[in-house]
């Protein structure tokens, strides 16, 4: 690999109870459920001999605990970075799609239509969230030129990475999956991000993971 290129493995956290209930997690610190902990161990086994040089994670416990399993398997130190957090959904956190639509129909519409300037009360706009995610990934990648780095984060964060690598506008509907503990491969160079592979869940055998559109790309269904 060129000394100027960083290989990134970007990974969504394991399953949580709120994933199953399609509740918006955002910055709410929800733990993994039992199945999510099993998924984390399967992920760790898959990455144990992947040649990782560094491991970063969102500091929210569903991502941190997923990454901790990888840290145990690889012997790498675990580095926390708040820049990898899910989008802050403010007062919408803890709600379902139907609850948002009933209580705040105009907010639900702007979220569903992916208005880049829309942000829930006490939350982030889609545009500011996207910029945070991309700035964080670039910053971490630049610390490790020529190396392989794992970033454990959230569905909305991975959605931003996919859009950056494929030059997809923020307002375009999401047509790609982001399953729990899916392994997604990117390259970062001074020219930007490029896609190597997406939605690898072979380590889960034939399990079908929960995909969510945490920012309303397809529906008002969260990451969460």
């Amino acid at each position: 690999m060129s000394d100027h290129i960083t290989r990134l493995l970007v990974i969504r956290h394991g399953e949580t109870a709120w994933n199953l209930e399609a509740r918006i997690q955002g910055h709410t610190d929800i733990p993994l459920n039992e199945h999510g902990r099993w998924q984390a161990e399967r992920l760790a086994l898959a990455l144990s001999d992947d040649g990782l040089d560094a491991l970063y994670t969102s500091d929210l416990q569903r991502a941190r605990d997923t990454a901790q399993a990888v840290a145990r398997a690889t012997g790498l130190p675990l580095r926390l970075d708040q820049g990898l957090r899910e989008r802050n959904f403010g007062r919408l956190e803890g709600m379902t799609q139907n609850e948002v639509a009933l209580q705040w129909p105009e907010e639900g519409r702007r979220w569903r239509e992916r208005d880049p300037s829309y942000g829930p009360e006490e939350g982030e706009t889609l545009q500011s969230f996207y910029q945070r995610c991309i700035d964080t990934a670039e910053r971490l990648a630049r610390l490790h030129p020529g190396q392989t780095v794992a970033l454990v984060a959230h569905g909305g964060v991975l959605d931003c990475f996919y859009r950056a690598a494929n030059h997809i506008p923020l307002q375009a509907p999401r047509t790609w999956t982001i399953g729990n503990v899916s392994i997604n491969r990117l390259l970062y160079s001074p020219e930007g991000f490029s896609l190597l592979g997406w939605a690898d869940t072979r380590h889960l055998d034939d399990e079908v993971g929960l995909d969510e559109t945490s920012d309303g790309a397809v529906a008002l269904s969260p990451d969460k």
Side-chain angles (χ1 to χ4, degrees):
M1 184 186 301
S2 166
D3 290 342
H4 301 293
I5 295 176
T6 305
R7 180 174 174 244
L8 296 174
L9 276 62
V10 297
I11 301 157
R12 186 179 171 213
H13 62 79
E15 183 185 279
T16 72
W18 278 18
N19 285 156
L20 293 176
E21 297 171 5
R23 294 192 179 277
I24 304 167
Q25 289 177 143
H27 283 193
T28 304
D29 210 8
I30 302 299
L32 298 176
N33 62 16
E34 182 177 355
H35 187 57
R37 292 190 292 273
W38 175 85
Q39 290 176 323
E41 293 301 330
R42 297 289 294 185
L43 171 70
L45 183 62
L47 297 182
S48 60
D49 59 355
D50 210 274
L52 295 179
D53 296 295
L55 174 61
Y56 293 87
T57 181
S58 158
D59 63 332
L60 297 175
Q61 63 177 318
R62 58 193 185 273
R64 187 181 68 238
D65 289 351
T66 301
Q68 187 61 60
V70 178
R72 289 193 297 268
T74 60
L76 289 170
L78 185 57
R79 309 180 194 187
L80 277 58
D81 197 303
Q82 290 188 5
L84 293 172
R85 282 188 174 195
E86 180 58 277
R87 182 179 175 185
N88 184 348
F89 282 94
R91 66 179 181 179
L92 304 187
E93 293 185 10
M95 302 183 73
T96 65
Q97 169 183 344
N98 288 340
E99 289 167 348
V100 172
L102 286 172
Q103 188 160 348
W104 293 298
E106 177 60 16
E107 289 200 54
R109 180 191 66 79
R110 294 183 68 189
W111 181 20
R112 184 173 59 252
E113 294 178 359
R114 299 187 54 84
D115 179 347
S117 65
Y118 165 68
E121 185 175 315
E122 301 177 358
E124 291 177 279
T125 67
L126 181 56
Q127 180 61 56
S128 63
F129 168 62
Y130 176 85
Q131 197 61 56
R132 165 168 66 83
C133 293
I134 300 309
D135 287 349
T136 299
E138 289 181 344
R139 170 172 53 82
L140 297 178
R142 287 170 181 160
L143 292 174
H144 300 277
Q147 295 185 322
T148 299
V149 179
L151 308 179
V152 181
H154 306 265
V157 179
L158 269 62
D159 178 74
C160 293
F161 296 163
Y162 187 94
R163 290 174 188 275
N166 291 282
H167 309 287
I168 297 173
L170 275 179
Q171 288 175 287
R174 184 193 296 174
T175 58
W176 48 95
T177 60
I178 304 175
N180 291 108
V181 301
S182 60
I183 301 172
N184 309 280
R185 294 174 170 85
L186 305 173
L187 292 179
Y188 175 78
S189 72
E191 288 72 43
F193 296 95
S194 57
L195 185 67
L196 281 182
W198 196 259
D200 182 356
T201 56
R202 288 173 292 178
H203 49 293
L204 301 178
D205 296 322
D206 295 327
E207 177 189 78
V208 178
L210 291 178
D211 178 39
E212 299 171 280
T213 57
S214 65
D215 48 12
V218 177
L220 287 183
S221 166
D223 165 74
K224 314 170 196 185

